[in-house]
């Protein structure tokens, strides 16, 4: 993205809402339902942001004392974020079914008065929440599907669609500024929250990720339980080779949205592979891998589970996990080659 395009976009003060309405007019026939859905999500994001900005002063730190469906300790902010998004989607009426990382079952909304929404929203309301207490960036991730025509009533089965069926996906990063980045399958655009007016403003139009990068993000503490091909790839990235700009740098925040956002903008590779503790990887297919996979592909990148495209996986359960290799396409391609044993550290 050219800096001059960015500056021009900011000068025009195009709000997220206006941007979506403009786009919608380009794509008739449209009922405006998708625009309203994104607006509802953005309102919830603003509310979560406002809780987060006061964390440390108000009582949102720490755990609820419960364990979520993943067996992870639930943070108070996880629950608060989940409640804000569910409430916004219920109120908005465009969503018929929610799947949330913080809730064991899919949540149907059709029983709500007057609700006849056509969209399914799957989300991780607050990713990386264990980082909040130490003031590290966290994020929200969402994935949007249509209720299939043959499912008049929203059910878990209707939600189990492969990522290629997504009609929208996005994330919010609560970082040094708060940004919402989304795609509806026509490129990727980023909006920065202007706290003075409480609006997301188009600040990063048409985001493209670099073809290659020299940063990789992985929890290297798990190195001993990585498969051999991955060990070779990591050692290869650490090797001295000025011609190919090696060694690369490791950057790992431990907050997927933040690591993903940096790599998207600067080029790089995010890896969460199978490990001994998590034989299918740790990240969730439906809440984390598919939406960020859709975004990275729309920005010119790639998302693989090690031997194929994440978005083509047919999910069998709402909370299922997948290994993740996503980012600059040249780096994802190399990862797959190392995993197939076609390359070794000596290449
Ligand atoms: P969460 O959804 O429960 O917050 O867990 C997902 C997080 C990601 O944000 C992050 O990339 C990963 O877990 C870090 O895991 P690890 O501490 O094993 O490296
Ligand atoms: Mg989470």
């Amino acid at each position: 993205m050219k800096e001059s395009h960015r500056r021009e976009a900011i000068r025009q003060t195009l709000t997220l809402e206006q941007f979506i309405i403009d786009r919608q007019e380009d794509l008739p026939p449209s009922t405006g339902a998708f625009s309203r859905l994104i607006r509802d999500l953005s309102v919830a994001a603003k509310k979560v942001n406002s809780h987060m900005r006061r964390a440390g002063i108000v009582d949102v730190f720490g755990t609820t004392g419960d364990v979520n469906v993943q067996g992870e300790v639930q943070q108070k902010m996880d629950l608060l974020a989940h409640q804000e998004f569910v409430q916004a989607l219920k109120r908005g009426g465009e969503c018929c079914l929610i799947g949330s990382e913080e809730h064991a079952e899919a949540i149907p909304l059709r029983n709500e008065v007057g609700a006849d929404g056509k969209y399914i929203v799957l989300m991780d309301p607050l990713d990386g929440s264990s980082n909040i207490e130490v003031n590290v960036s966290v994020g929200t991730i969402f994935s949007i599907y249509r209720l299939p025509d043959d499912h008049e009533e929203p059910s878990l089965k209707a939600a189990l669609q492969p990522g290629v069926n997504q009609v929208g996906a996005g994330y919010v990063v609560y970082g040094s500024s708060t940004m919402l980045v989304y795609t509806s399958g026509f490129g990727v655009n980023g909006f920065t929250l202007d706290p003075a007016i409480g609006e997301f403003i188009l600040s990063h139009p048409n985001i493209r990720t670099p073809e290659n990068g020299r940063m990789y993000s992985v929890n290297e503490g798990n190195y001993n339980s990585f498969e051999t091909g991955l060990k070779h790839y990591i050692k290869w990235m650490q090797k001295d080779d000025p011609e190919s700009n090696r060694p690369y740098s490791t950057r790992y925040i431990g907050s997927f949205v933040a690591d993903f956002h940096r790599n998207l903008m600067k080029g790089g590779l995010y890896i969460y592979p199978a490990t001994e503790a998590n034989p299918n990887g740790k990240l969730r297919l439906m809440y984390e891998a598919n939406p960020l996979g859709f975004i990275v592909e729309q920005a010119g990148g790639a998302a693989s589970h090690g031997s194929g495209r994440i978005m083509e996986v047919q999910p069998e359960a709402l909370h299922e996990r997948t290994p993740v290799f996503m980012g600059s396409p040249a780096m994802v391609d190399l990862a797959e080659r190392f995993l197939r044993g076609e390359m070794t550290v000596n290449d």
Side-chain angles (χ1 to χ4, degrees), residues 160-195:
L160 296 181
Q161 303 184 43
V164 287
N165 287 7
Q166 289 173 102
V167 292
Y171 63 88
V172 184
V173 57
Y174 309 96
S176 36
S177 64
T178 297
M179 262 189 92
L180 187 151
V181 176
Y182 93 99
T183 183
S184 55
F186 300 92
V188 180
N189 289 283
F191 302 79
T192 301
L193 182 64
D194 181 344

Side-chain angles (χ1 to χ4, degrees), residues 151-303:
H151 284 75
E152 286 211 340
E153 283 308 310
S155 63
L156 169 65
K157 204 157 165 252
L160 296 181
Q161 303 184 43
V164 287
N165 287 7
Q166 289 173 102
V167 292
Y171 63 88
V172 184
V173 57
Y174 309 96
S176 36
S177 64
T178 297
M179 262 189 92
L180 187 151
V181 176
Y182 93 99
T183 183
S184 55
F186 300 92
V188 180
N189 289 283
F191 302 79
T192 301
L193 182 64
D194 181 344
I197 58 171
E199 294 280 0
F200 283 104
I201 304 295
L202 180 64
S203 54
H204 295 70
N206 192 23
I207 295 172
R208 302 295 298 168
T209 201
E211 167 73 20
N212 213 335
R214 47 178 313 281
M215 276 189 286
Y216 68 96
S217 313
V218 66
N219 184 341
E220 232 160 326
N222 295 327
Y223 182 85
N224 288 340
S225 72
F226 293 167
E227 61 184 290
T228 310
L230 179 56
K231 286 180 174 168
H232 274 274
Y233 188 27
I234 289 173
K235 288 296 162 207
W236 182 90
M237 291 192 277
Q238 293 172 347
K239 254 177 122 175
D240 273 319
D241 179 31
E243 218 172 279
S244 57
N245 268 322
R246 285 179 287 156
Y248 294 170
S249 293
T250 315
R251 292 284 182 274
Y252 191 68
I253 297 169
S255 225
F256 188 23
V257 172
D259 279 311
F260 175 87
H261 181 69
R262 183 203 51 243
N263 292 355
L264 181 76
M265 304 307 288
K266 293 187 180 274
L269 177 67
Y270 182 92
I271 304 172
Y272 209 112
T275 63
E276 222 165 273
N278 292 297
N280 298 318
K282 178 184 178 190
L283 299 177
R284 269 60 45 143
L285 173 66
M286 310 294 280
Y287 311 125
E288 290 158 333
N290 271 336
L292 297 190
F294 189 22
I295 291 173
V296 81
E297 284 195 7
Q298 282 291 315

Side-chain angles (χ1 to χ4, degrees), residues 7 28 31 63 114-115 122 134-135 149 168 229 236 242 245 262 270 274 317 332:
R7 273 202 294 266
T31 61
T63 67
L122 307 180
V134 286
N135 222 336
D149 291 339
W236 182 90
N245 268 322
R262 183 203 51 243
Y270 182 92
V332 175

Side-chain angles (χ1 to χ4, degrees), residues 139-155:
T140 294
I141 311 173
F142 57 88
S143 172
I144 305 171
Y145 295 83
R146 269 203 193 89
L147 179 67
D149 291 339
D150 52 351
H151 284 75
E152 286 211 340
E153 283 308 310
S155 63

